[in-house]
Amino acid sequence: MEREDKRRTRTRALLRDALVSLSLARGYSALTVEDIVAEAGVGRATFYTHFPDKEKLYDHVVHSVIDDLDTRLAPVTDVNDKGFTGKPVDTLFRHAAEHADLYRMILRGEGDGRGLRLLADAWGDRALEVFRARADALGVTPRVDLRVVARAWAGEQTSVLLWWLESAAPRPALDDVIETLVELSRRGRYWASGFDPE
């Protein structure tokens, strides 16, 4: 059983890697199952043992990224922390750096933007839960609709992350990008643009 599980995991990893590399090279819409199995070095029957079509493989890849990220974010989203710790941004960007091609495929909108929407929705929903729970735990009343704040946060992370992943060398240091986003979250765009608070 363990050997079978390892074989299944290995085959799915080969299919994932083939999908990602081909999507980045040719674009997802141009790919066929035949292209994917040739790149992965597996047979068509093997592919169909795991997935009914390339869309299900794509969805599996996107959900795997989201699930893994959510697992990593769980211990760093303490709602009792006062203010914004920056740990979620740090975790997100380091996860993306470890899985750069996966994130590039999703954030570019390959798969008719489905993965990008799923990822942005997952980030936005998770952020909203944390923002609401933190406000409740600390007894503060938000000044604006937290749904908007959460979506703005998710959109900001999505945009900056894609820009960073696609930047030509030498791209900005990861620590610098994270620190900038943390300060932006703590102090706002007005402060970041050089203006003093009124």
Side-chain angles (χ1 to χ4, degrees):
M1 183 67 170
E2 184 180 335
R3 186 174 179 177
E4 187 177 315
D5 288 343
K6 284 183 180 178
R7 181 180 298 139
R8 176 181 171 85
T9 300
R10 181 179 172 276
T11 301
R12 286 182 168 228
L14 289 170
L15 293 170
R16 175 201 64 216
D17 292 348
L19 174 76
V20 171
S21 64
L22 290 172
S23 292
L24 291 174
R26 298 186 206 169
Y28 172 83
S29 61
L31 299 183
T32 64
V33 170
E34 289 76 14
D35 296 328
I36 295 167
V37 297
E39 180 75 11
V42 302
R44 282 176 56 90
T46 300
F47 179 95
Y48 289 117
T49 298
H50 294 271
F51 304 101
D53 52 39
K54 74 172 187 174
E55 286 74 22
K56 293 298 184 197
L57 168 59
Y58 178 89
D59 290 345
H60 168 75
V61 169
V62 172
H63 285 291
S64 295
V65 170
I66 292 169
D67 291 346
D68 188 44
L69 177 61
D70 200 44
T71 298
R72 292 194 191 192
L73 284 171
V76 299
T77 50
D78 183 357
V79 299
N80 293 310
D81 284 335
K82 289 195 174 182
F84 181 69
T85 65
K87 293 175 189 173
V89 174
D90 186 83
T91 300
L92 166 61
F93 273 73
R94 294 192 190 286
H95 188 255
E98 289 174 27
H99 306 285
D101 285 346
L102 277 167
Y103 273 87
R104 286 174 59 228
M105 179 190 77
I106 295 168
L107 295 173
R108 279 183 181 179
E110 296 294 342
D112 298 327
R114 193 167 69 254
L116 177 56
R117 288 188 300 276
L118 286 169
L119 193 60
D121 285 348
W123 289 350
D125 292 346
R126 182 73 172 127
L128 181 58
E129 288 174 14
V130 172
F131 296 166
R132 281 182 173 158
R134 183 171 291 147
D136 290 345
L138 300 175
V140 299
T141 302
R143 292 187 177 98
V144 296
D145 188 336
L146 288 180
R147 293 173 299 176
V148 176
V149 176
R151 290 299 160 171
W153 185 87
E156 183 176 86
Q157 307 310 309
T158 300
S159 179
V160 173
L161 186 50
L162 179 59
W163 167 77
W164 181 75
L165 289 170
E166 302 252 286
S167 290
R171 69 180 173 199
L174 181 59
D175 288 341
D176 292 344
V177 173
I178 292 168
E179 183 180 345
T180 299
L181 286 170
V182 170
E183 287 302 305
L184 187 59
S185 290
R186 284 187 180 138
R187 301 174 185 243
R189 284 176 183 75
Y190 192 75
W191 171 87
S193 300
F195 297 101
D196 291 325
E198 295 178 5

